[in-house]
Amino acid sequence: MCHPAWSRARIAAQWLSDLARLRRVRDRMDREYARPLDVASLALDANMPAGQLSRQFRLAYGRPPYAYLMARRVERATVLLRCGDLDTAEVSFAVGCSSPDAFGAYFTELVGMDPDAYRRHIAPGPVRNREALQREAELA
């Protein structure tokens, strides 16, 4: 019969191993957010069943893998909407969403406004350039 401390140590070691695999899954989602990713392929790469990956990912990061991936895509989309001249559908495809309507719904849920309203809300453009133009006008 094993000593109780050995059992606890084995469980702790397994948890650390699982956390390392979860971190690799999260890092892959951060890098490859624009690619088509699903929980089954992520679980296969992590050598875990999909259900176990989803449960442990949620415990470790506070949301399921798909929600984390969509949050990452919306985060990248806000940058594209601020800096680029792509329309909403093009932004949707650029961040890896195959449906602009589903992307718009998820964007609205996370940001609180639809992508077009977000773009209008932040429309003035980069402040740094306007400040430079104002200073040039003041100096002239």
Side-chain angles (χ1 to χ4, degrees):
M1 182 129 169
C2 291
H3 192 276
W6 295 347
S7 177
R8 285 191 300 272
R10 192 179 82 243
I11 291 169
Q14 181 62 44
W15 177 243
L16 289 176
S17 173
D18 289 347
L19 280 178
R21 287 191 274 171
L22 293 173
R23 188 173 48 248
R24 285 192 297 273
V25 167
R26 187 197 62 193
D27 290 346
R28 180 177 174 204
M29 284 191 279
D30 288 343
R31 276 190 321 273
E32 301 176 15
Y33 64 88
R35 291 179 147 185
L37 295 172
D38 60 3
V39 175
S41 67
L42 294 170
L44 186 64
D45 287 348
N47 198 22
M48 299 171 105
Q52 179 185 4
L53 173 70
S54 292
R55 282 188 304 276
Q56 289 190 349
F57 195 95
R58 177 177 237 162
L59 283 172
Y61 298 111
R63 58 176 71 163
Y66 184 75
Y68 180 87
L69 177 62
M70 289 305 292
R72 171 55 85 183
R73 287 175 173 171
V74 166
E75 177 184 322
R76 302 303 295 166
T78 59
V79 173
L80 291 174
L81 289 168
R82 257 185 282 153
C83 301
D85 57 349
L86 301 174
D87 69 11
T88 305
E90 291 171 327
V91 168
S92 168
F93 295 128
V95 297
C97 294
S98 57
S99 167
D101 292 334
F103 167 75
Y106 213 94
F107 189 97
T108 302
E109 181 181 327
L110 290 177
V111 177
M113 61 181 78
D114 65 70
D116 292 324
Y118 180 81
R119 176 174 273 156
R120 284 191 305 272
H121 179 70
I122 55 144
V127 173
R128 189 172 290 161
N129 291 343
R130 273 191 289 146
E131 290 175 352
L133 291 174
Q134 289 173 350
R135 286 186 187 158
E136 286 178 13
E138 292 171 1
L139 295 174

